[in-house]
Amino acid sequence: MLEIKKNIYWCGIRDWGLDVFHGHELSTHRGSSYNSYLIKDKKTVLVDTVWDPYKEKFVEELEKEVGLSNIDAIVINHSEPDHGGSLGLIMEKIPNTPIYCTKNGAEIIKKYFGKDWNFQIVKTGDTLDLGEYKLKFVEMQMIHWPDSMLAYVEGAKLVLSNDAFGQHYAAISMFNDEVDECELYEEAIKYYTNILWPFKPLIKKKIEQILALNLDIDMIAPSHGVIWRTNPLQIIKKYQEWSETDYNEGYVTIIYDTMYHSTKAMAEAFGKGLEEEGVNYRIFNIATKDKSDLNVEIFKAAAVLMGSCTVNNTVLRPTAALLEELKGLKAKGKLAMGFGSYGWSGEAHKLISDRLAEAGMTICAEPLGFKYMPGEEELQKCVEVGRDIARQLKAKK
């Protein structure tokens, strides 16, 4: 265990080898951690557990360090298996221990484990007196599950934030001031994009609510990744920034899927036009770029140009999957257009444009499609479209 505050300990698991998460939906290039916390006060409280593949190791360590029978209460901020997965094994050994969670949390835990344990339902503003410390609970509904909440430790100025402010990041240290800041923020924005992006409006309101509570915060300890102990409010400010409807970093992301490089040639021509107007851009092949990382490039973009050739009256498979994902992520507030090449039927560029609009993006140019390999005049048309989109972005800015 690692003491992070007086008599408050990190007792989680670092998963160095993890490379996918949420099934195979999310890539985790730097592993992850499952952060559980133990408060040793007049009452000893365990806050969250770890993913159930590690439950035996986790429970064994708890028994050795504190003794399970000495745990007076368990707080489950979020019942997803990577946080609540070890609860079943713990409750086999100490079945009468009270579990503090939201109403939704109790319902979900019952569904996962089929047990009606000693649930103590809490809501925003409720407290649990531990002795020197006191826990104050704040509901975080739909950030990112219906049961999510955080626990503020009065007396320690510590926020146990669960998924909020976390990262899938197994680092050399558990503290933000002892890791590579570039790596940390790369993982923090990737986590936000792939998990929390759909809940932007809720996050914005919830952060305003948390700040209105005037909590004295000098450490934020999430349930994945490193603990923010130096300037912890920096990540709250970033969440505020990322939660703005029109958040972008000023550049254009061009993404394409191609069979014989015709759509790729169009993508490069759009880039030339953007460059001529002084707007930066990045180009990615949808089929070969990691999808979780590609979502981040879309999240950071001011405009998204997306292309595919037509096959069987529709788009290529990786493009279809990405379009569906963007709809789920509610990728609003960006300029967008669809483009592509085709041999005969030519639906892809129009379908892409329609799907980008369904995702909430603002279509800034008519979908553009060319037959077979685009010629010099057609590529020049792409250059002109790129220049026009650049001018739109500068006018919008």
Side-chain angles (χ1 to χ4, degrees), residues 165 176-177 181 184-185 220 228-242:
F165 315 124
N176 71 302
D177 53 0
E181 187 176 28
L184 172 56
Y185 267 101
I220 297 174
W228 304 86
R229 73 173 177 185
T230 298
N231 184 21
L233 296 184
Q234 64 180 292
I235 189 59
I236 293 180
K237 291 177 182 176
K238 276 297 180 184
Y239 266 52
Q240 287 180 301
E241 183 182 339
W242 294 337

PDB file of all heavy atoms in Angstrom, residues 165 176-177 181 184-185 220 228-242:
ATOM      1  N   PHE A 165     -11.573  12.454 -14.219  1.00  0.00           N
ATOM      2  CA  PHE A 165     -10.200  12.950 -14.103  1.00  0.00           C
ATOM      3  C   PHE A 165      -9.148  11.835 -14.184  1.00  0.00           C
ATOM      4  O   PHE A 165      -7.983  12.052 -13.862  1.00  0.00           O
ATOM      5  CB  PHE A 165     -10.013  13.763 -12.821  1.00  0.00           C
ATOM      6  CG  PHE A 165     -11.123  14.747 -12.558  1.00  0.00           C
ATOM      7  CD1 PHE A 165     -11.847  14.724 -11.364  1.00  0.00           C
ATOM      8  CD2 PHE A 165     -11.474  15.669 -13.524  1.00  0.00           C
ATOM      9  CE1 PHE A 165     -12.880  15.619 -11.137  1.00  0.00           C
ATOM     10  CE2 PHE A 165     -12.514  16.578 -13.304  1.00  0.00           C
ATOM     11  CZ  PHE A 165     -13.213  16.549 -12.111  1.00  0.00           C
ATOM     12  N   ASN A 176       1.146  12.785 -10.238  1.00  0.00           N
ATOM     13  CA  ASN A 176       1.284  13.524 -11.492  1.00  0.00           C
ATOM     14  C   ASN A 176       2.595  14.293 -11.603  1.00  0.00           C
ATOM     15  O   ASN A 176       3.098  14.526 -12.705  1.00  0.00           O
ATOM     16  CB  ASN A 176       0.106  14.496 -11.679  1.00  0.00           C
ATOM     17  CG  ASN A 176       0.129  15.683 -10.731  1.00  0.00           C
ATOM     18  OD1 ASN A 176       0.134  15.506  -9.517  1.00  0.00           O
ATOM     19  ND2 ASN A 176       0.127  16.891 -11.280  1.00  0.00           N
ATOM     20  N   ASP A 177       3.179  14.698 -10.468  1.00  0.00           N
ATOM     21  CA  ASP A 177       4.414  15.481 -10.528  1.00  0.00           C
ATOM     22  C   ASP A 177       5.654  14.602 -10.700  1.00  0.00           C
ATOM     23  O   ASP A 177       6.774  15.128 -10.739  1.00  0.00           O
ATOM     24  CB  ASP A 177       4.551  16.357  -9.279  1.00  0.00           C
ATOM     25  CG  ASP A 177       4.427  15.579  -7.977  1.00  0.00           C
ATOM     26  OD1 ASP A 177       4.230  14.349  -8.025  1.00  0.00           O
ATOM     27  OD2 ASP A 177       4.517  16.208  -6.904  1.00  0.00           O
ATOM     28  N   GLU A 181       4.681  14.723 -18.186  1.00  0.00           N
ATOM     29  CA  GLU A 181       3.451  15.499 -18.313  1.00  0.00           C
ATOM     30  C   GLU A 181       2.804  15.333 -19.684  1.00  0.00           C
ATOM     31  O   GLU A 181       1.574  15.319 -19.796  1.00  0.00           O
ATOM     32  CB  GLU A 181       3.723  16.982 -18.046  1.00  0.00           C
ATOM     33  CG  GLU A 181       2.464  17.821 -17.996  1.00  0.00           C
ATOM     34  CD  GLU A 181       2.722  19.260 -17.626  1.00  0.00           C
ATOM     35  OE1 GLU A 181       3.830  19.765 -17.919  1.00  0.00           O
ATOM     36  OE2 GLU A 181       1.831  19.895 -17.042  1.00  0.00           O
ATOM     37  N   LEU A 184       1.010  12.080 -19.676  1.00  0.00           N
ATOM     38  CA  LEU A 184      -0.155  12.166 -18.802  1.00  0.00           C
ATOM     39  C   LEU A 184      -1.324  12.842 -19.513  1.00  0.00           C
ATOM     40  O   LEU A 184      -2.452  12.332 -19.508  1.00  0.00           O
ATOM     41  CB  LEU A 184       0.216  12.936 -17.530  1.00  0.00           C
ATOM     42  CG  LEU A 184      -0.914  13.295 -16.570  1.00  0.00           C
ATOM     43  CD1 LEU A 184      -1.689  12.060 -16.139  1.00  0.00           C
ATOM     44  CD2 LEU A 184      -0.362  14.040 -15.365  1.00  0.00           C
ATOM     45  N   TYR A 185      -1.058  13.979 -20.142  1.00  0.00           N
ATOM     46  CA  TYR A 185      -2.158  14.684 -20.802  1.00  0.00           C
ATOM     47  C   TYR A 185      -2.613  13.973 -22.070  1.00  0.00           C
ATOM     48  O   TYR A 185      -3.795  14.045 -22.432  1.00  0.00           O
ATOM     49  CB  TYR A 185      -1.788  16.138 -21.066  1.00  0.00           C
ATOM     50  CG  TYR A 185      -2.247  17.019 -19.927  1.00  0.00           C
ATOM     51  CD1 TYR A 185      -1.366  17.453 -18.952  1.00  0.00           C
ATOM     52  CD2 TYR A 185      -3.590  17.358 -19.798  1.00  0.00           C
ATOM     53  CE1 TYR A 185      -1.803  18.221 -17.890  1.00  0.00           C
ATOM     54  CE2 TYR A 185      -4.038  18.123 -18.736  1.00  0.00           C
ATOM     55  CZ  TYR A 185      -3.144  18.555 -17.782  1.00  0.00           C
ATOM     56  OH  TYR A 185      -3.594  19.301 -16.726  1.00  0.00           O
ATOM     57  N   ILE A 220      -6.561  15.130  -6.042  1.00  0.00           N
ATOM     58  CA  ILE A 220      -7.648  14.410  -6.713  1.00  0.00           C
ATOM     59  C   ILE A 220      -7.128  13.017  -7.056  1.00  0.00           C
ATOM     60  O   ILE A 220      -6.137  12.868  -7.772  1.00  0.00           O
ATOM     61  CB  ILE A 220      -8.100  15.134  -7.992  1.00  0.00           C
ATOM     62  CG1 ILE A 220      -8.672  16.514  -7.649  1.00  0.00           C
ATOM     63  CG2 ILE A 220      -9.145  14.302  -8.741  1.00  0.00           C
ATOM     64  CD1 ILE A 220      -9.023  17.361  -8.857  1.00  0.00           C
ATOM     65  N   TRP A 228      -3.576  13.284  -8.891  1.00  0.00           N
ATOM     66  CA  TRP A 228      -3.220  14.689  -9.090  1.00  0.00           C
ATOM     67  C   TRP A 228      -2.955  15.326  -7.731  1.00  0.00           C
ATOM     68  O   TRP A 228      -3.877  15.705  -7.026  1.00  0.00           O
ATOM     69  CB  TRP A 228      -4.348  15.424  -9.814  1.00  0.00           C
ATOM     70  CG  TRP A 228      -4.745  14.823 -11.122  1.00  0.00           C
ATOM     71  CD1 TRP A 228      -5.642  13.821 -11.331  1.00  0.00           C
ATOM     72  CD2 TRP A 228      -4.251  15.195 -12.414  1.00  0.00           C
ATOM     73  NE1 TRP A 228      -5.743  13.539 -12.679  1.00  0.00           N
ATOM     74  CE2 TRP A 228      -4.902  14.370 -13.373  1.00  0.00           C
ATOM     75  CE3 TRP A 228      -3.348  16.161 -12.875  1.00  0.00           C
ATOM     76  CZ2 TRP A 228      -4.664  14.466 -14.742  1.00  0.00           C
ATOM     77  CZ3 TRP A 228      -3.101  16.259 -14.229  1.00  0.00           C
ATOM     78  CH2 TRP A 228      -3.752  15.414 -15.148  1.00  0.00           C
ATOM     79  N   ARG A 229      -1.662  15.459  -7.363  1.00  0.00           N
ATOM     80  CA  ARG A 229      -1.343  16.060  -6.065  1.00  0.00           C
ATOM     81  C   ARG A 229      -0.679  17.430  -6.211  1.00  0.00           C
ATOM     82  O   ARG A 229      -0.718  18.238  -5.285  1.00  0.00           O
ATOM     83  CB  ARG A 229      -0.457  15.136  -5.226  1.00  0.00           C
ATOM     84  CG  ARG A 229       0.977  15.026  -5.691  1.00  0.00           C
ATOM     85  CD  ARG A 229       1.813  14.218  -4.705  1.00  0.00           C
ATOM     86  NE  ARG A 229       3.185  14.061  -5.189  1.00  0.00           N
ATOM     87  CZ  ARG A 229       4.105  13.323  -4.583  1.00  0.00           C
ATOM     88  NH1 ARG A 229       3.784  12.658  -3.484  1.00  0.00           N
ATOM     89  NH2 ARG A 229       5.327  13.220  -5.085  1.00  0.00           N
ATOM     90  N   THR A 230      -0.043  17.719  -7.339  1.00  0.00           N
ATOM     91  CA  THR A 230       0.524  19.037  -7.600  1.00  0.00           C
ATOM     92  C   THR A 230      -0.408  19.792  -8.533  1.00  0.00           C
ATOM     93  O   THR A 230      -0.700  19.327  -9.635  1.00  0.00           O
ATOM     94  CB  THR A 230       1.925  18.917  -8.231  1.00  0.00           C
ATOM     95  OG1 THR A 230       2.793  18.254  -7.311  1.00  0.00           O
ATOM     96  CG2 THR A 230       2.489  20.292  -8.562  1.00  0.00           C
ATOM     97  N   ASN A 231      -0.901  20.940  -8.070  1.00  0.00           N
ATOM     98  CA  ASN A 231      -1.873  21.736  -8.825  1.00  0.00           C
ATOM     99  C   ASN A 231      -3.016  20.856  -9.331  1.00  0.00           C
ATOM    100  O   ASN A 231      -3.257  20.748 -10.537  1.00  0.00           O
ATOM    101  CB  ASN A 231      -1.188  22.454  -9.995  1.00  0.00           C
ATOM    102  CG  ASN A 231      -2.125  23.371 -10.754  1.00  0.00           C
ATOM    103  OD1 ASN A 231      -3.167  23.792 -10.238  1.00  0.00           O
ATOM    104  ND2 ASN A 231      -1.771  23.677 -11.998  1.00  0.00           N
ATOM    105  N   PRO A 232      -3.758  20.205  -8.445  1.00  0.00           N
ATOM    106  CA  PRO A 232      -4.791  19.264  -8.878  1.00  0.00           C
ATOM    107  C   PRO A 232      -5.924  19.907  -9.668  1.00  0.00           C
ATOM    108  O   PRO A 232      -6.573  19.235 -10.475  1.00  0.00           O
ATOM    109  CB  PRO A 232      -5.306  18.665  -7.572  1.00  0.00           C
ATOM    110  CG  PRO A 232      -5.004  19.697  -6.540  1.00  0.00           C
ATOM    111  CD  PRO A 232      -3.716  20.326  -6.966  1.00  0.00           C
ATOM    112  N   LEU A 233      -6.154  21.206  -9.454  1.00  0.00           N
ATOM    113  CA  LEU A 233      -7.260  21.859 -10.158  1.00  0.00           C
ATOM    114  C   LEU A 233      -6.991  21.991 -11.656  1.00  0.00           C
ATOM    115  O   LEU A 233      -7.899  22.302 -12.423  1.00  0.00           O
ATOM    116  CB  LEU A 233      -7.534  23.233  -9.546  1.00  0.00           C
ATOM    117  CG  LEU A 233      -8.021  23.232  -8.098  1.00  0.00           C
ATOM    118  CD1 LEU A 233      -8.343  24.652  -7.647  1.00  0.00           C
ATOM    119  CD2 LEU A 233      -9.233  22.342  -7.913  1.00  0.00           C
ATOM    120  N   GLN A 234      -5.757  21.724 -12.080  1.00  0.00           N
ATOM    121  CA  GLN A 234      -5.447  21.811 -13.508  1.00  0.00           C
ATOM    122  C   GLN A 234      -6.306  20.858 -14.325  1.00  0.00           C
ATOM    123  O   GLN A 234      -6.738  21.200 -15.434  1.00  0.00           O
ATOM    124  CB  GLN A 234      -3.968  21.525 -13.767  1.00  0.00           C
ATOM    125  CG  GLN A 234      -3.508  20.113 -13.410  1.00  0.00           C
ATOM    126  CD  GLN A 234      -2.032  19.898 -13.683  1.00  0.00           C
ATOM    127  OE1 GLN A 234      -1.599  19.879 -14.822  1.00  0.00           O
ATOM    128  NE2 GLN A 234      -1.252  19.749 -12.610  1.00  0.00           N
ATOM    129  N   ILE A 235      -6.596  19.673 -13.787  1.00  0.00           N
ATOM    130  CA  ILE A 235      -7.389  18.711 -14.564  1.00  0.00           C
ATOM    131  C   ILE A 235      -8.859  19.106 -14.560  1.00  0.00           C
ATOM    132  O   ILE A 235      -9.576  18.869 -15.548  1.00  0.00           O
ATOM    133  CB  ILE A 235      -7.183  17.258 -14.053  1.00  0.00           C
ATOM    134  CG1 ILE A 235      -7.835  16.245 -15.004  1.00  0.00           C
ATOM    135  CG2 ILE A 235      -7.685  17.099 -12.621  1.00  0.00           C
ATOM    136  CD1 ILE A 235      -7.309  16.286 -16.431  1.00  0.00           C
ATOM    137  N   ILE A 236      -9.335  19.750 -13.497  1.00  0.00           N
ATOM    138  CA  ILE A 236     -10.707  20.257 -13.499  1.00  0.00           C
ATOM    139  C   ILE A 236     -10.844  21.360 -14.549  1.00  0.00           C
ATOM    140  O   ILE A 236     -11.828  21.406 -15.296  1.00  0.00           O
ATOM    141  CB  ILE A 236     -11.103  20.776 -12.107  1.00  0.00           C
ATOM    142  CG1 ILE A 236     -11.168  19.608 -11.115  1.00  0.00           C
ATOM    143  CG2 ILE A 236     -12.443  21.508 -12.154  1.00  0.00           C
ATOM    144  CD1 ILE A 236     -11.558  20.011  -9.708  1.00  0.00           C
ATOM    145  N   LYS A 237      -9.847  22.243 -14.628  1.00  0.00           N
ATOM    146  CA  LYS A 237      -9.863  23.307 -15.635  1.00  0.00           C
ATOM    147  C   LYS A 237      -9.839  22.718 -17.044  1.00  0.00           C
ATOM    148  O   LYS A 237     -10.509  23.221 -17.961  1.00  0.00           O
ATOM    149  CB  LYS A 237      -8.688  24.252 -15.416  1.00  0.00           C
ATOM    150  CG  LYS A 237      -8.817  25.092 -14.156  1.00  0.00           C
ATOM    151  CD  LYS A 237      -7.588  25.959 -13.928  1.00  0.00           C
ATOM    152  CE  LYS A 237      -7.710  26.760 -12.635  1.00  0.00           C
ATOM    153  NZ  LYS A 237      -6.483  27.551 -12.346  1.00  0.00           N
ATOM    154  N   LYS A 238      -9.074  21.654 -17.235  1.00  0.00           N
ATOM    155  CA  LYS A 238      -9.037  21.003 -18.548  1.00  0.00           C
ATOM    156  C   LYS A 238     -10.396  20.393 -18.890  1.00  0.00           C
ATOM    157  O   LYS A 238     -10.857  20.481 -20.025  1.00  0.00           O
ATOM    158  CB  LYS A 238      -7.948  19.924 -18.566  1.00  0.00           C
ATOM    159  CG  LYS A 238      -6.564  20.457 -18.880  1.00  0.00           C
ATOM    160  CD  LYS A 238      -6.511  21.053 -20.278  1.00  0.00           C
ATOM    161  CE  LYS A 238      -5.148  21.590 -20.628  1.00  0.00           C
ATOM    162  NZ  LYS A 238      -5.134  22.250 -21.966  1.00  0.00           N
ATOM    163  N   TYR A 239     -11.040  19.774 -17.918  1.00  0.00           N
ATOM    164  CA  TYR A 239     -12.373  19.211 -18.163  1.00  0.00           C
ATOM    165  C   TYR A 239     -13.366  20.318 -18.520  1.00  0.00           C
ATOM    166  O   TYR A 239     -14.232  20.125 -19.378  1.00  0.00           O
ATOM    167  CB  TYR A 239     -12.861  18.433 -16.936  1.00  0.00           C
ATOM    168  CG  TYR A 239     -12.552  16.946 -16.993  1.00  0.00           C
ATOM    169  CD1 TYR A 239     -11.265  16.496 -17.245  1.00  0.00           C
ATOM    170  CD2 TYR A 239     -13.536  15.997 -16.789  1.00  0.00           C
ATOM    171  CE1 TYR A 239     -10.966  15.144 -17.294  1.00  0.00           C
ATOM    172  CE2 TYR A 239     -13.263  14.639 -16.830  1.00  0.00           C
ATOM    173  CZ  TYR A 239     -11.973  14.216 -17.081  1.00  0.00           C
ATOM    174  OH  TYR A 239     -11.685  12.871 -17.139  1.00  0.00           O
ATOM    175  N   GLN A 240     -13.235  21.459 -17.865  1.00  0.00           N
ATOM    176  CA  GLN A 240     -14.081  22.590 -18.240  1.00  0.00           C
ATOM    177  C   GLN A 240     -13.832  22.996 -19.684  1.00  0.00           C
ATOM    178  O   GLN A 240     -14.763  23.240 -20.448  1.00  0.00           O
ATOM    179  CB  GLN A 240     -13.811  23.782 -17.317  1.00  0.00           C
ATOM    180  CG  GLN A 240     -14.369  23.636 -15.910  1.00  0.00           C
ATOM    181  CD  GLN A 240     -14.058  24.843 -15.053  1.00  0.00           C
ATOM    182  OE1 GLN A 240     -12.895  25.192 -14.854  1.00  0.00           O
ATOM    183  NE2 GLN A 240     -15.088  25.495 -14.550  1.00  0.00           N
ATOM    184  N   GLU A 241     -12.575  23.064 -20.058  1.00  0.00           N
ATOM    185  CA  GLU A 241     -12.190  23.449 -21.416  1.00  0.00           C
ATOM    186  C   GLU A 241     -12.680  22.419 -22.430  1.00  0.00           C
ATOM    187  O   GLU A 241     -13.283  22.768 -23.452  1.00  0.00           O
ATOM    188  CB  GLU A 241     -10.663  23.590 -21.478  1.00  0.00           C
ATOM    189  CG  GLU A 241     -10.106  24.061 -22.803  1.00  0.00           C
ATOM    190  CD  GLU A 241      -8.588  24.134 -22.795  1.00  0.00           C
ATOM    191  OE1 GLU A 241      -7.992  24.220 -21.695  1.00  0.00           O
ATOM    192  OE2 GLU A 241      -7.999  24.086 -23.883  1.00  0.00           O
ATOM    193  N   TRP A 242     -12.437  21.148 -22.149  1.00  0.00           N
ATOM    194  CA  TRP A 242     -12.833  20.090 -23.089  1.00  0.00           C
ATOM    195  C   TRP A 242     -14.349  19.979 -23.203  1.00  0.00           C
ATOM    196  O   TRP A 242     -14.856  19.477 -24.212  1.00  0.00           O
ATOM    197  CB  TRP A 242     -12.247  18.753 -22.629  1.00  0.00           C
ATOM    198  CG  TRP A 242     -10.746  18.682 -22.676  1.00  0.00           C
ATOM    199  CD1 TRP A 242      -9.914  19.439 -23.438  1.00  0.00           C
ATOM    200  CD2 TRP A 242      -9.904  17.806 -21.920  1.00  0.00           C
ATOM    201  NE1 TRP A 242      -8.594  19.095 -23.198  1.00  0.00           N
ATOM    202  CE2 TRP A 242      -8.560  18.094 -22.276  1.00  0.00           C
ATOM    203  CE3 TRP A 242     -10.139  16.807 -20.974  1.00  0.00           C
ATOM    204  CZ2 TRP A 242      -7.472  17.421 -21.726  1.00  0.00           C
ATOM    205  CZ3 TRP A 242      -9.062  16.130 -20.424  1.00  0.00           C
ATOM    206  CH2 TRP A 242      -7.749  16.430 -20.803  1.00  0.00           C
TER     207      TRP A 242
END
